[in-house]
Amino acid sequence: MRLTCEQLNPHACKTYLLGIEGSNEVAFIDPVIDHINDYGKLVKKRHLRVSKIIETHTHADHISGAASLKDVFDCDYVMHLQAPAICANFRVSDNMQWLFLGMIPVKILHTPGHTRDSISLQFPDCIFTGDALFLDDGGAGRDDLPGGDPAAHWETLNKLYQLPDRLVVYPAHDYRNRKPSSLKQQKETNPHMKKSRESRQAFVQYLEDLKLGPAEWMKDVLKANYACARDPRAAWIPADSPACEVKGTIDPGTNEIQVATITSPILMQKISSGSPPVLIDVREKEELSGPLGHIDNIMHIPVAGLVKKIPELERYKNHDIVTICRSGSRAHTAAQILTKAGFPKVSVLADGMMAWNSTGH
Ligand SMILES: [Fe+2]
């Protein structure tokens, strides 16, 4: 008997449909209210029987579809004991184990930090981590909303670190099309996971340094989910905001800013021209000495610390600036942050160091 897993949503909030081969029984993890009609159609078309809906935590970036789906399918709605949502009827706690679908066992891990009620679901070959752990350089969910606790998150990440390497990690969000990958990979590449190996104090300081600004609207979304809202308009939510990630804390409007790109050959020409642009590499420190290397004479400012460094960058305000990362995503964010801060001539190295290397530099 094998567990099957399908991700249903077209955007960064992930909803998983879990099933077992040879049975029509299924469970939803973290359904989003905007898609409940699609979920309903899918269930009908495939003649599925929904036995449970699980929320990994109270979400702050979208209205949950769990209450509405429970109304339709009359199934169990599973949340942690401490979850405020009164409509959750099946409460779980740390280390609880039960046969989840058919004979497939699950173990509940209480994994607070992002929220007080966060749980992860550990299956024999995979783990659903909610916002306790994202993939690769995505780190993990932010801890600065009501109920968030960086010290608890440190303990959570240490707890996850003890689990088998082979488990495939399925997070509740991914903002850059990363594919689920092993816990081993997270131990090696995920900055939150790596930082959790240091002291609790160092980890808390690391998160403190990442904090880029408020996201007041998320408090309204939390309240709507505490109240088991069944209306997608129960709270205002900005379109396509990578809200639960650290990037989601940047000033409102930053994500919409258009920025220019520059190709590797053109950048090479400019560097050789005698008046090179200011190069800001926004990757993590370890990446600079990794296989992709780095360009000579860069300034190194990881993207999460960029806002704090803006006063130091004022003297370059009227220079050409090029932001650089591995593939262009973080550099794009960095260029948006600088442009929002009034730097007029910022561009992004297109496709980052991957392109720089593949063009022979
Ligand atoms: Fe979240």
Side-chain angles (χ1 to χ4, degrees):
M1 191 174 276
R2 207 174 67 85
L3 189 74
T4 60
C5 173
E6 196 175 336
Q7 200 288 118
L8 302 177
N9 300 341
H11 54 67
C13 283
K14 305 299 177 193
T15 294
Y16 299 101
L17 181 70
L18 300 192
I20 34 173
E21 284 176 347
S23 165
N24 69 343
E25 185 187 356
V26 293
F28 282 92
I29 299 183
D30 291 328
V32 176
I33 201 163
D34 309 70
H35 304 300
I36 53 168
N37 290 338
D38 298 328
Y39 305 149
K41 282 182 201 158
L42 185 83
V43 166
K44 196 170 171 193
K45 188 173 155 199
R46 296 188 191 171
H47 307 290
L48 302 175
R49 182 172 66 81
V50 182
S51 67
K52 48 188 84 63
I53 299 157
I54 301 101
E55 287 280 85
T56 55
H57 61 289
T58 305
H59 298 284
D61 64 320
H62 65 266
I63 307 286
S64 165
S68 306
L69 283 186
K70 184 182 185 322
D71 294 344
V72 174
F73 297 118
D74 192 23
C75 57
D76 282 330
Y77 174 177
V78 182
M79 279 194 95
H80 187 258
L81 276 177
Q82 294 181 36
I86 42 168
C87 48
N89 65 309
F90 190 114
R91 300 290 177 154
V92 293
S93 55
D94 196 33
N95 280 325
M96 186 173 156
Q97 299 190 51
W98 89 98
L99 291 178
F100 187 76
L101 291 171
M103 298 302 285
I104 305 274
V106 69
K107 182 174 177 183
I108 298 295
L109 301 174
H110 185 211
T111 47
H114 174 62
T115 63
R116 218 172 275 137
D117 58 8
S118 293
I119 54 170
S120 296
L121 291 95
Q122 184 187 349
F123 290 94
D125 299 317
C126 59
I127 183 162
F128 293 82
T129 52
D131 290 6
L133 183 67
F134 292 154
L135 294 168
D136 307 334
D137 58 352
R142 54 192 286 181
D143 295 342
D144 59 338
L145 290 166
D149 181 346
H153 209 154
W154 176 81
E155 284 185 21
T156 283
L157 292 166
N158 275 283
K159 188 174 183 174
L160 296 175
Y161 200 94
Q162 305 309 319
L163 301 179
D165 284 351
R166 67 166 194 283
L167 295 177
V168 177
V169 175
Y170 291 87
H173 294 286
D174 186 77
Y175 300 96
R176 291 174 205 154
N177 290 322
R178 302 176 189 94
K179 300 286 172 249
S181 60
S182 70
L183 192 57
K184 180 171 191 286
Q185 181 163 325
Q186 302 321 308
K187 291 175 187 177
E188 289 168 359
T189 65
N190 187 299
H192 273 59
M193 194 62 137
K194 282 161 62 181
K195 201 72 190 174
S196 74
R197 306 310 292 160
E198 298 179 22
S199 70
R200 182 193 311 250
Q201 195 184 6
F203 181 79
V204 171
Q205 186 61 49
Y206 162 70
L207 292 190
E208 192 69 22
D209 292 344
L210 288 180
K211 204 189 282 177
L212 299 173
E216 289 301 309
W217 61 270
M218 297 179 92
K219 294 177 185 169
D220 292 337
V221 182
L222 279 173
K223 276 186 211 153
N225 283 325
Y226 293 159
C228 300
R230 287 149 168 97
D231 180 350
R233 297 156 301 172
W236 177 79
I237 298 172
D240 295 330
S241 170
C244 272
E245 200 179 39
V246 171
K247 181 179 172 183
T249 63
I250 61 182
D251 281 350
T254 307
N255 289 326
E256 290 80 50
I257 289 174
Q258 301 288 318
V259 287
T261 54
I262 180 170
T263 62
S264 292
I266 301 288
L267 178 58
M268 193 64 210
Q269 276 176 23
K270 287 193 173 231
I271 290 173
S272 319
S273 71
S275 57
V278 175
L279 305 176
I280 304 180
D281 194 315
V282 299
R283 293 175 295 164
E284 298 303 311
K285 193 175 162 196
E286 312 84 83
E287 295 176 84
L288 302 188
S289 51
L292 291 176
H294 62 85
I295 302 175
D296 288 342
N297 301 319
I298 48 158
M299 293 176 72
H300 175 228
I301 307 175
V303 66
L306 182 59
V307 169
K308 277 191 173 174
K309 293 279 184 186
I310 284 175
E312 292 173 36
L313 295 172
E314 286 291 328
R315 60 198 160 114
Y316 301 112
K317 200 149 201 173
N318 293 313
H319 288 59
D320 284 322
I321 296 176
V322 177
T323 56
I324 301 160
C325 68
R326 188 184 75 95
S327 64
S329 298
R330 282 170 287 172
H332 187 259
T333 302
Q336 288 175 317
I337 291 171
L338 290 173
T339 305
K340 184 91 196 290
F343 289 72
K345 295 194 284 185
V346 187
S347 50
V348 179
L349 175 59
D351 302 316
M353 290 302 291
M354 288 166 66
W356 179 264
N357 278 273
S358 69
T359 47
H361 299 303

